[in-house]
Amino acid sequence: MASNTKNALQSAGRGAGYNIILQLLFRIATFVLNAFIVRRISKQLLGVVNVRLTLLYTTGLFLSREALRRACLSKTDEGCNVRHVVNLMWATVPIGVLCTGLLSAVWIFLLEQPPVVDIPDYPQAVIAFAVCTVAELMAEPLYVLAQRYFYVRVKVMVEGGALAARVILTGTLVALYPEWGLFSFCISYVLYAVVFVMLYYGFFTSVIKDKSSPIPISSWGDLLPQPAPNQPLLSLSTWTSPRLVYLAVSFFKQSFFKQILTEGERYVMTFFRALTFQEQGIFDTIANLGSMVARFVFMPIEESYSVFFTTTLQRGLVADQQPPAVVKTASSALSVLLKFVFLVGLIIVVFGWSYSYLLLMIYGGDKLTASPGPAILRTYCFYVLVLAVNGMTECFYFATMSKEEIDRYNRKMLLFSFMLLGLSWLLTTTFLGSLGFIIANSVQMCARIVYSASYIRRYFASVSEDPLSKAMPAPATWLSLVVSLFVTVLSEHIFCCNTSLFHLAIHVAIGAACLLMVLACLFVFEKDLVQFIRQNILARSRPD
């Protein structure tokens, strides 16, 4: 058991490491290409693509697959074979058709339409994004099988390759055919879906041929939905595990509210017309820039260690009912992971305050540095810190709570959703404008942190473990961050941001020196974090 737990922990660590490295490489490339795109399309088109159409795409995917993914990746007290998982995950396709069909009708017939003169192909673009959503769901059974058997690099390679293809094609089309408008983005999303599905099926071609693969798949027929032999076709147990279905239903309720919490500002923009399409484009571009670290650092960690927690800890049982070695490993991992994301968030706050204007100037020029662009990015840095802590605490919470706790939390999610929507509408329509979205998100995120933190304390109370208190940085680390904040703010006031490249270089050099000082303090005073990274992320082990 201890060996299996160690292997799972190392697999999760390597998965997070691969995710972070590859995501970093792709995000740098997409950062450059997106900067090119932002300078060449209108603010209105930015708003329609990045808010309206992307919201359709993410909502369709989230509602169609999130609950089933969580259920099929959970460790339950009932054995669920591969056939149960494959059959249940194929249900994402008809669910996706239903969800995207309804959403497309709302997007085309009920919501405010962009001006036809400026964006003539909006209805066709809605249909194209909906089709891409359903197409991507064709790979869901393969995704879940790869995750269940710890093929940690597959997800990174597939999503990274598909993303690179999409962004490169978008940049090319925008440069060569700027008059195509929305049509360029539709073609790019279609390419993403095709590459995504083809890469997963290409990987499973090798799995089928590899007789030593741990995934019990020997033919393409094993990846298709099939009933159990000699069982009535209309019986649920003929196709899958009833427990998985019931768990998925609970997660589906939760997924609905989580999607509102995740994309709350986009829903308010879309349904309540809180901002114009031009304002939406600017806000979303800056928010995407501010959330880059959340996407290529925090999200891979959460996804990898969610698999670790769900596959090593028995869902619904408290710590003293689990194997002691497993609990100790899980507690240590959680404390170090919380410390890591907390420190990364603090670094973003410290350096984001003094370098937001410079980053926006490089990325989008006057289009983004005009007020309130820098204020939005600075405020978003604080939100990223809260987002990091909440993501890690909820990662553990969602991986270990019982079905009854899931149902109770669904009611809390309803409260959090109303809190977010109400605050967003109130703050944006009164005096804060775009900043209201970030402040509203931060408030509801803090409430969620308090709730999930109390759950973690109760979970480990019976075994005298306290991963939350162990996650606090050392005093020397705090001191280095405070000094860096003071020095970089002073540097910005003196050297930034005029037209002198020499002064800008001095400002950047001061920030780099302060960052090196902070990293040196981490290396010296955060021994547990350094050791964890060496043993579980940088360690060489069996191939994945």
Side-chain angles (χ1 to χ4, degrees), residues 131-186:
V131 170
C132 292
T133 302
V134 176
E136 191 172 328
L137 295 172
M138 298 294 292
E140 275 305 296
L142 287 65
Y143 166 87
V144 170
L145 287 179
Q147 291 294 300
R148 281 178 66 94
Y149 289 92
F150 296 106
Y151 281 86
V152 294
R153 283 181 289 192
V154 176
K155 175 181 180 294
V156 185
M157 299 301 295
V158 170
E159 293 187 2
L163 177 63
R166 188 185 82 193
V167 175
I168 291 172
L169 181 59
T170 303
T172 303
L173 294 177
V174 167
L176 298 179
Y177 307 102
E179 70 277 5
W180 284 12
L182 276 181
F183 190 56
S184 299
F185 292 91
C186 294

Side-chain angles (χ1 to χ4, degrees), residues 22-217:
L22 196 62
Q23 288 277 2
L24 180 60
L25 294 176
F26 281 116
R27 291 300 174 186
I28 291 174
T30 56
F31 176 87
V32 175
L33 287 169
N34 283 335
F36 171 82
I37 293 169
V38 164
R39 292 173 181 266
R40 283 163 175 77
I41 65 176
S42 67
K43 298 178 183 179
Q44 191 171 50
L45 184 57
L46 271 176
V48 172
V49 173
N50 290 351
V51 177
R52 180 68 66 85
L53 294 177
T54 301
L55 184 62
L56 169 69
Y57 176 76
T58 57
T59 302
L61 284 178
F62 204 92
L63 294 178
S64 302
R65 72 187 185 187
E66 182 70 10
L68 299 181
R69 274 187 176 185
R70 287 185 176 276
C72 289
L73 290 173
S74 296
K75 182 178 181 180
T76 65
D77 55 6
E78 175 190 343
C80 299
N81 58 40
V82 171
R83 175 55 46 210
H84 291 156
V85 171
V86 170
N87 286 349
L88 186 58
M89 289 312 300
W90 273 111
T92 58
V93 176
I95 293 173
V97 172
L98 176 62
C99 289
T100 56
L102 293 174
L103 291 171
S104 298
V106 172
W107 257 240
I108 294 174
F109 299 111
L110 298 183
L111 296 181
E112 176 192 9
Q113 306 291 297
V116 177
V117 176
D118 299 322
I119 305 178
D121 302 320
Y122 174 75
Q124 293 86 341
V126 169
I127 295 173
F129 273 67
V131 170
C132 292
T133 302
V134 176
E136 191 172 328
L137 295 172
M138 298 294 292
E140 275 305 296
L142 287 65
Y143 166 87
V144 170
L145 287 179
Q147 291 294 300
R148 281 178 66 94
Y149 289 92
F150 296 106
Y151 281 86
V152 294
R153 283 181 289 192
V154 176
K155 175 181 180 294
V156 185
M157 299 301 295
V158 170
E159 293 187 2
L163 177 63
R166 188 185 82 193
V167 175
I168 291 172
L169 181 59
T170 303
T172 303
L173 294 177
V174 167
L176 298 179
Y177 307 102
E179 70 277 5
W180 284 12
L182 276 181
F183 190 56
S184 299
F185 292 91
C186 294
I187 295 175
S188 301
Y189 268 82
V190 169
L191 177 65
Y192 177 91
V194 171
V195 172
F196 182 88
V197 173
M198 288 181 63
L199 288 178
Y200 261 115
Y201 278 87
F203 167 72
F204 269 82
T205 299
S206 64
V207 169
I208 291 172
K209 293 179 180 179
D210 184 7
K211 303 303 180 183
S212 63
S213 171
I215 303 180
I217 297 293

Side-chain angles (χ1 to χ4, degrees), residues 36 74 78 112 122 149 159 176 207 264 303 322 393 402 435 440 446 482 488 490 494:
F36 171 82
S74 296
E78 175 190 343
E112 176 192 9
Y122 174 75
Y149 289 92
E159 293 187 2
L176 298 179
V207 169
E303 291 177 347
Q322 311 262 10
T393 55
S402 66
L435 291 175
C446 288
V482 172
T488 54
L490 185 62
I494 297 174

Side-chain angles (χ1 to χ4, degrees), residues 234-256:
L234 298 181
S235 172
L236 178 62
S237 58
T238 302
W239 296 92
T240 190
S241 164
R243 180 175 177 81
L244 281 183
V245 175
Y246 299 147
L247 190 59
V249 170
S250 294
F251 276 131
F252 186 82
K253 302 172 189 175
Q254 183 187 101
S255 298
F256 179 79

Side-chain angles (χ1 to χ4, degrees), residues 363-483:
Y363 191 72
D366 294 339
K367 185 183 291 186
L368 298 183
T369 53
S371 181
I376 292 175
L377 187 54
R378 289 187 178 109
T379 309
Y380 206 92
C381 290
F382 286 95
Y383 173 61
V384 169
L385 170 62
V386 180
L387 185 70
V389 177
N390 177 73
M392 203 63 248
T393 55
E394 285 195 345
C395 169
F396 181 84
Y397 181 34
F398 292 148
T400 56
M401 59 183 174
S402 66
K403 180 183 179 301
E404 292 73 22
E405 288 170 323
I406 294 172
D407 291 334
R408 287 199 298 270
Y409 190 69
N410 288 338
R411 294 190 286 271
K412 299 293 190 304
M413 294 281 273
L414 177 63
L415 177 62
F416 295 144
S417 300
F418 281 126
M419 178 190 299
L420 174 62
L421 296 177
L423 281 175
S424 296
W425 178 83
L426 178 64
L427 295 177
T428 54
T429 57
T430 51
F431 58 94
L432 288 175
S434 301
L435 291 175
F437 288 122
I438 307 174
I439 296 173
N441 264 305
S442 300
V443 171
Q444 65 86 19
M445 201 71 74
C446 288
R448 289 162 63 184
I449 290 174
V450 171
Y451 189 87
S452 54
S454 63
Y455 168 84
I456 292 172
R457 288 192 183 278
R458 292 196 307 271
Y459 185 91
F460 287 105
S462 58
V463 292
S464 300
E465 292 281 348
D466 189 7
L468 298 181
S469 63
K470 295 178 181 178
M472 295 303 295
T477 304
W478 282 107
L479 179 61
S480 69
L481 290 167
V482 172
V483 171

